Amino acid sequence: MQSGQIKHNNTGRIGIINRYAKYLPVTKKTPVITLCEGNTPLIFASKISNTLGVNFKVYLKYEGLNPTGSFKDRGMTLAISKAKEEGMSAVICASTGNTSASAAAYAARANMKCVVVIPEGAIALGKLAQALIHNATVIAIKGNFDDALAIVREISDNYPVRLVNSINPNRIEGQKTASFEICDSLNGAPDFHCLPVGNAGNITAYWKGYKEYYSYKKIESLPVMLGFQAKGSAPIIKGKPIKNPKTIATAIKIGNPASWQQAIDARSESKGLIEAVSDNQILQAYKILAKEEGVFVEPASAASVAGLFMLNKTGYFDKYKTKTKEIRIVCTLTGHGLKDPEIAIKNIKTPKVVESKMQTILKAAGIK
Ligand code: AN7
């Protein structure tokens, strides 16, 4: 095996409920609505590791390989299964895209009605296609994600429809299984965990997962949590909600995160940080991941690696560099790059058009 590579826990893709039932609020009566989500690869990133130093091992938790292409499936399998168990026949969510894609797919399997409310014109094309093809009722509003979330909260409080945003505790319960998988693969907790922060459900879920594994004595230490928002939509860093959040990373274009307090708790309990990265830093990490590690993610996902690079530059890891001790860092890559092909093409040179002749093609290809 290549240095840094780890053996995967070979339990197959049986879905997070079946795999981790004893840590989840399920009983034998719970109908398990699953697409065999979870058990995503933890990929050793040799080049990114090298930029930090010889004793650093950086791993990418590639959540884009979930059934609908994002980490949301972990929470959605449980949220939809519990809604079904409780006799609900409809679910609703607000979304920057991935939640709606996931809710629509799982609701389809459960024969439930799914309503999604999205900010008009602010959803990546792939995600919109997913919600539509899975037969959700898609309603675009003239407003942003925060407006949409406020409305669906009110609707679910007053009508017989279950909210499946991460305010629903079952979403967090399902998503915490990503921490379990990481610890199972690494035979322990990483030293640091980097991830993007939008509505802050995922950082809440990871931290809950790590703390639970620690309390069950499955791990002997806890990671330092490092969360990253996009600069134009960084309410947690600014300390106040942002009315008109802006960023090319549409998934995390959120001005008033629902799990704000829990994110702050994760930061302080783990002695971590929540920082902002610029759209430029996000795009740079986005390209490096694709070009050098072969991993295609959506821009929001690259915020974790952008944050890692930024902290490395500002000397945050310096005190660990002199040590011979191995430092393990996990970056969560929350969504697949194919969700948003338009942004990839916009940021890369388009292909050259030449005559259909071998000599011309050889020349253009640089093959001698
Ligand atoms: C790729 O789909 O909020 O901090 O409505 O799609 O748990 O919100 C998506 C969020 C990071 C942020 N990366 O996670 C939605 C939605 C991707 C995302 C986040 C999202 P949270």
Side-chain angles (χ1 to χ4, degrees):
M1 248 195 297
Q2 206 182 318
S3 139
Q5 278 191 340
I6 42 146
K7 253 172 125 173
H8 282 279
N9 204 338
N10 202 11
T11 48
R13 293 190 100 173
I14 57 174
I16 60 109
I17 297 178
N18 290 322
R19 185 166 176 194
Y20 291 113
K22 66 176 172 181
Y23 304 108
L24 297 172
V26 292
T27 66
K28 287 206 174 72
K29 284 196 205 118
T30 310
V32 178
I33 311 295
T34 179
L35 284 160
C36 305
E37 58 295 312
N39 205 8
T40 54
L42 190 62
I43 303 170
F44 176 58
S46 62
K47 291 172 190 164
I48 294 175
S49 298
N50 285 343
T51 63
L52 274 93
V54 284
N55 60 323
F56 284 80
K57 298 270 184 273
V58 177
Y59 297 92
L60 309 170
K61 182 65 171 164
Y62 194 19
E63 290 289 277
L65 292 194
N66 274 296
T68 76
S70 87
F71 71 99
K72 304 283 182 184
D73 294 343
R74 295 179 183 276
M76 207 54 75
T77 180
L78 191 63
I80 297 286
S81 296
K82 293 300 283 184
K84 189 81 182 167
E85 182 179 356
E86 288 153 16
M88 300 299 295
S89 59
V91 296
I92 194 168
C93 66
S95 185
T96 59
N98 280 323
T99 297
S100 67
S102 187
Y106 284 82
R109 279 185 87 72
N111 299 317
M112 293 169 97
K113 181 182 173 66
C114 177
V115 179
V116 308
V117 182
I118 54 168
E120 186 208 1
I123 304 290
L125 196 63
K127 304 174 188 180
L128 181 60
Q130 288 178 289
L132 291 169
I133 200 75
H134 290 304
N135 201 34
T137 303
V138 178
I139 301 162
I141 60 160
K142 293 184 175 21
N144 61 28
F145 170 83
D146 303 291
D147 302 323
L149 185 59
I151 292 166
V152 298
R153 283 177 100 145
E154 200 176 333
I155 291 173
S156 66
D157 282 345
N158 293 291
Y159 296 87
V161 49
R162 175 74 80 244
L163 186 69
V164 292
N165 280 104
S166 57
I167 305 149
N168 180 329
N170 292 317
R171 280 279 313 279
I172 303 296
E173 290 296 312
Q175 282 172 215
K176 76 184 179 189
T177 60
S179 296
F180 297 169
E181 288 177 14
I182 290 165
C183 297
D184 290 348
S185 295
L186 292 176
N187 275 322
D191 299 287
F192 297 92
H193 189 121
C194 303
L195 79 173
V197 174
N199 215 19
N202 214 24
I203 191 170
T204 302
Y206 269 98
W207 184 236
K208 186 170 198 288
Y210 283 126
K211 283 196 296 185
E212 286 184 13
Y213 246 32
Y214 185 78
S215 74
Y216 295 131
K217 304 210 161 24
K218 301 276 283 185
I219 52 176
E220 289 164 1
S221 62
L222 288 164
V224 172
M225 301 299 290
L226 304 172
F228 301 98
Q229 300 202 288
K231 224 165 219 162
S233 41
I236 297 176
I237 292 98
K238 291 250 157 69
K240 58 172 202 290
I242 309 285
K243 272 227 164 66
N244 288 307
K246 289 192 177 69
T247 169
I248 49 108
T250 52
I252 52 172
K253 198 168 137 187
I254 294 172
N256 190 12
S259 300
W260 190 320
Q261 186 57 47
Q262 293 91 320
I264 285 178
D265 292 346
R267 175 180 67 187
S268 56
E269 289 171 27
S270 75
K271 301 187 172 54
L273 293 172
I274 298 179
E275 299 264 325
V277 285
S278 70
D279 280 3
N280 260 342
Q281 289 172 312
I282 289 173
L283 284 174
Q284 231 178 334
Y286 171 73
K287 290 181 195 169
I288 287 171
L289 278 164
K291 203 167 76 174
E292 298 189 12
E293 299 290 356
V295 179
F296 189 24
V297 301
E298 63 171 289
S301 306
S304 58
V305 173
L308 177 69
F309 288 153
M310 181 180 72
L311 292 185
N312 185 45
K313 249 194 197 140
T314 54
Y316 179 80
F317 295 110
D318 283 359
K319 64 178 165 201
Y320 304 96
K321 291 193 180 184
T322 50
K323 302 198 177 142
T324 44
K325 183 186 176 277
E326 187 171 283
I327 302 293
R328 299 192 295 186
I329 304 178
V330 171
C331 295
T332 298
L333 303 178
T334 45
H336 203 289
L338 290 173
K339 294 265 186 180
D340 195 355
E342 287 172 311
I343 199 129
I345 290 167
K346 233 188 261 169
N347 284 282
I348 302 291
K349 270 190 268 166
T350 43
K352 288 184 200 170
V353 180
V354 299
E355 292 297 319
S356 172
K357 284 185 188 142
M358 193 171 81
Q359 287 310 322
T360 324
I361 291 169
L362 282 171
K363 197 170 167 223
I367 297 171
K368 283 178 199 155

